[in-house]
Amino acid sequence: MAVLAVASSFASWAAAADVAPIPDLSLGGFGWRNEHNDFILPSRGPGPVTWDPAHPYRGNQPGIPGTMRVADLTNPILMPWVKDALRKFNADAFAGKVQFTSIARCWPAGVPGTMLLRLNPMYIVQTPKDVWLLFQSDHQVRRVHLNQAHASQVKPSWYGESVGHYEGDTLVVDTIGISTKTAVDFYSTPHTDQLHVVERFRVLDGGRTLEDAVTVEDPGAFNTPWTGSQRYQRMEQKLQEVVCAEGESSPSPLPREAGVVPIPQDNTPDF
């Protein structure tokens, strides 16, 4: 398997005499999986959007249906226009409309939203020049360019431009240029083209846990920078093929799903 082949080469170049020791985030080709699709709140300071305390969110569980997401509009990070967007999101929830995240409709979730995808594992490939985050769901890929500065002009894209470097046992990733077509989280919290995300990846618990500590700032959307995190557990499963569009019921939203973004379609032949 390609992931295993590249991952197995990690040890050879990382152990070379002229390369400083770096953390092995690849697990030899195995994956990382989380079971919680909200950011973990910080111990102190401003945090991400989470659910309204009067309407706690619960994801689907075996034999237990999930609840609708209702965003907490009292979060002090929110600028008025972002709060208005979330107010509409809440109104749709109260009206019983189906809530779909962008990635559930087969669109890229952006940064940092894509780090919230639960159950589907993520694989990490480290090379001397790049780090690749490979998501089993729909073969989504993030590329982190190591030891270089951002381009002088960055064209907005689904995952933006990520540059990174190692600080001891931590991979630090700095991302800008994230398309405003994406949301920051699974509450569809919008952002502007000023969104700037810094992530710090490190392995904990003797290799059993991967932590992604996130700092988000966007002076056009949030009153202050805020922090959160996500944690993944080691998963002894090889990368599998999972095609998102083949798992959805229809390319176009059903009548009860009015307003839901349709599944992306490619009508242009490749040859």
Side-chain angles (χ1 to χ4, degrees):
M1 167 180 294
V3 173
L4 286 176
V6 175
S8 64
S9 67
F10 169 87
S12 62
W13 68 263
D18 58 346
V19 178
I22 64 173
D24 182 3
L25 309 178
S26 69
L27 294 180
F30 290 103
W32 298 105
R33 184 177 73 168
N34 79 80
E35 297 184 354
H36 184 61
N37 53 6
D38 277 306
F39 288 110
I40 300 170
L41 299 179
S43 58
R44 63 181 184 275
V49 172
T50 185
W51 62 74
D52 186 325
H55 304 277
Y57 170 73
R58 181 186 66 244
N60 291 324
Q61 301 176 19
I64 305 176
T67 59
M68 300 292 280
R69 287 184 180 273
V70 178
D72 181 8
L73 302 182
T74 67
N75 191 322
I77 69 171
L78 302 174
M79 287 189 171
W81 74 272
V82 179
K83 187 179 296 186
D84 288 343
L86 292 177
R87 187 174 287 111
K88 181 181 183 304
F89 176 86
N90 289 353
D92 288 344
F94 293 136
K97 293 185 178 180
V98 175
Q99 291 179 316
F100 279 106
T101 60
S102 58
I103 202 164
R105 296 298 289 177
C106 311
W107 291 89
V111 178
T114 195
M115 306 308 294
L116 297 176
L117 180 64
R118 64 189 289 265
L119 300 183
N120 278 284
M122 171 186 70
Y123 299 81
I124 299 178
V125 175
Q126 295 166 267
T127 74
K129 295 183 178 181
D130 301 281
V131 174
W132 301 81
L133 306 183
L134 313 177
F135 300 91
Q136 179 172 282
S137 179
D138 211 28
H139 320 296
Q140 300 290 337
V141 176
R142 284 184 62 188
R143 181 182 183 184
V144 179
H145 304 278
L146 293 177
N147 304 316
Q148 66 180 60
H150 284 295
S152 57
Q153 293 187 336
V154 178
K155 181 179 179 180
S157 60
W158 292 110
Y159 289 119
E161 181 186 75
S162 294
V163 297
H165 64 276
Y166 294 103
E167 293 182 0
D169 65 351
T170 302
L171 171 65
V172 182
V173 179
D174 187 296
T175 304
I176 60 174
I178 307 161
S179 171
T180 54
K181 295 179 181 179
T182 68
V184 171
D185 51 35
F186 284 5
Y187 293 88
S188 296
T189 303
H191 63 86
T192 73
D193 57 7
Q194 301 177 72
L195 180 64
H196 177 203
V197 180
V198 176
E199 299 166 277
R200 301 180 69 88
F201 293 88
R202 61 176 182 152
V203 176
L204 307 172
D205 303 328
R208 296 187 297 274
T209 302
L210 175 71
E211 178 184 68
D212 180 15
V214 180
T215 300
V216 176
E217 60 178 340
D218 182 345
F222 305 121
N223 292 315
T224 182
W226 54 267
T227 62
S229 62
Q230 183 59 284
R231 287 196 170 192
Y232 305 78
Q233 301 304 311
R234 177 172 175 156
M235 184 180 184
E236 301 291 331
Q237 175 181 310
K238 305 297 177 61
L239 180 65
Q240 300 177 4
E241 182 177 18
V242 176
V243 181
C244 178
E246 293 180 358
E248 292 292 317
S249 58
S250 62
S252 300
L254 302 174
R256 69 189 181 95
E257 300 170 3
V260 175
V261 175
I263 295 175
Q265 299 289 300
D266 185 1
N267 299 317
T268 303
D270 293 328
F271 53 86

